[in-house]
Amino acid sequence: PYNASLTAGGGTSPYNWTTQVVSGVLPPGLALGSNGAIAGTPTIGGSYAFSARVTDAANRTAIAQCTLTVDGCTVTLSANQTVGSG
């Protein structure tokens, strides 16, 4: 099983993540929750690029560009996004 969370900052909490990725795909077996959690059991290895949308309490949105790599039983997540003003 895999469980990690995307985080947002720089806006007004609370933050709400859209549960459907904006572009790309998550690895099969994983799902994105509205709290930013990516959880499940990946079923196919590989590198998966996807974009996720977060909205803050002031209704500002940002897109996180993420890459998740499934290699055997190791999963790594790379994401860097801050909710900005605008």
Side-chain angles (χ1 to χ4, degrees):
Y2 177 76
N3 190 354
S5 292
L6 300 174
T7 58
T12 305
S13 64
Y15 303 103
N16 185 47
W17 292 87
T18 304
T19 58
Q20 297 294 323
V21 296
V22 176
S23 64
V25 295
L26 286 169
L30 296 182
L32 174 62
S34 61
N35 62 351
I38 298 174
T41 302
T43 58
I44 300 174
S47 184
Y48 298 85
F50 64 96
S51 299
R53 176 179 286 121
V54 64
T55 304
D56 75 354
N59 207 32
R60 294 176 291 204
T61 63
I63 304 293
Q65 307 296 324
C66 308
T67 302
L68 217 162
T69 303
V70 178
D71 181 20
C73 17
T74 303
V75 181
T76 57
L77 172 66
S78 171
N80 183 13
Q81 182 64 45
T82 300
V83 175
S85 57

